[in-house]
Amino acid sequence: MDKLVIEGGKPLSGTIVIQGAKNAALPILAASMLVEGIVTIDHVPKLLDIDVMLNILRELGCRAEHEDETVTLDTTSLHSSHIPEALMRQMRSSIFLMGPLLARFGEVTIYQPGGCAIGERKIDLHLSGLRALGAQIDEEDSRIVCYAKRLKGADIHLDLPSVGATENIMMAAVLAEGLTTISNAAREPEIQDLQHFLNSMGAKIVGAGTDTITIEGVEKLKPSRYQVIPDRIVTGTVMVAAAATRGQVTLLNTCPSHLSSLIHVLRRTGVQITVDGDIIKVGTASRPKAVDRIVTSPYPAFPTDLQSQVMVLLALADGVSVMKETIFEGRFKHVDELSRMGADIRVDLNSAYVRGVSRLYGATVEATDLRAGAALVIAGLAAQGKTVVEQVHHIDRGYDRIEHMLGRLGARITRYSPVPNNQIVQ
Ligand code: EPZ
């Protein structure tokens, strides 16, 4: 397992171009299975999660190439809608394939994706949405088999604005007979990107980005070429790293409007932020101020995916902040690791009480999940001394070579990969 070794205490400075959005690319790659032919998706970053998704598509018979951030898919030879359990387990986002494969083949077999470090990650809203569209779903142990001769449009209300369930239902409804409405839909930018991609292939969807999405079923789609939006969570991660190291960083190819809640929080800590088109500049030379209360909620509120990163900044702030996590029940696993670096954080149920300290100290820490890992890297950059972050594969799921990205901003960060036993030279 790779490690990252970070020499902290150096302010980040310089300019960086933001990668394409993992959480837009994954459903868009899945949605490509709705159409027969060559589909080209640009601005797809090289990430573990993308690799897993492409391997699943290849397993189903699709040809998939990923060169220089462009993915080319030939879905003509797609012949299976049975997703192997081992691959499901590698990445729960394979659940996104349910809707498209059911719409294309009339049947799909998947396996319970299971929980992960951040929570139980139920899929009941996905299944109830597909049932509403006429799918027959049999659950046998962890195996889930879905059938539907032809899906029929329906009025669907989500108990929770689930991102994945909204996307899965959208993709299943595109080829259904008649009209589908999704109310209490999730409003994330990645859902808007999925709508734009599907409509570029001839789908008729309106409303993504609001809490009501309407899909008018069509007979057939035609292949298209599409560019994915920038990754707002990677953007936010770099912004927080710049603030935590008291640096000056310019971020290019961003969507500032996707980060309004983070920009508001960072300004409350005293960080200077300027926005000009798709350029964000972040700078500060002083100690951040505490923020009395931040609550993670569905978009456009403060995103759960930036909770752990911002907590690092609060751990260095002057005063006491409270961070409340309302989306995932297990998303405070970075707290213990930060405490080992000198942070003063007390967790009570789903609230973290963060008493800022003047400095953090390097330590050997372990990434437990994608965004907790990113937070530990930020802590290492800001800390005095050397930090070793282990289990870096979690971070590689969502950040394209994070050490190169931050290294270009002056970070002293090196990746160490263990030498396989059979290569140890005696
Ligand atoms: C997406 O996950 C993102 N992943 C997550 O990003 C993100 O944290 C999350 O949305 C919330 O914004 C991708 O887009 C690939 P949800 P998803 O369905 O779709 C409950 C990252 O770091 N729920 O909106 O799984 C669920 O348990 C990842 O990039 C049900 O109860 O999120 C959770 O508590 C982590 N039943 C809440 O809803 C369901 O059927 C939000 O989940 C589905 C979800």
Side-chain angles (χ1 to χ4, degrees), residues 13 39 116 125 128 136 179 183 211 219 225 319 327 351-352 402:
S13 69
V39 177
C116 67
L125 298 175
S128 56
Q136 180 197 320
L179 206 62
S183 53
D211 61 4
E219 282 299 316
R225 180 163 193 156
I327 306 292
S351 292
I402 196 167

Side-chain angles (χ1 to χ4, degrees), residues 323-341:
M323 176 74 86
K324 186 169 183 175
E325 171 60 54
T326 70
I327 306 292
F328 292 112
E329 63 274 24
R331 211 161 200 183
F332 280 154
K333 292 198 169 52
H334 50 285
V335 169
D336 288 346
E337 300 302 290
L338 290 177
S339 303
R340 298 179 56 238
M341 299 178 72

Side-chain angles (χ1 to χ4, degrees), residues 22-23 26-27 92-93 96 118 120-126 160-165 167 188 232 304-305 327-329 331 370-371:
K22 164 178 85 83
N23 292 351
L26 288 171
R92 60 180 313 284
S93 301
F96 289 141
I118 65 175
E120 186 186 354
R121 313 296 294 272
K122 293 195 293 185
I123 60 168
D124 57 314
L125 298 175
H126 296 246
L160 280 169
S162 155
V163 173
E167 291 167 338
E188 274 69 3
R232 62 192 168 97
T304 174
D305 291 350
I327 306 292
F328 292 112
E329 63 274 24
R331 211 161 200 183
L370 168 53
R371 306 303 175 184

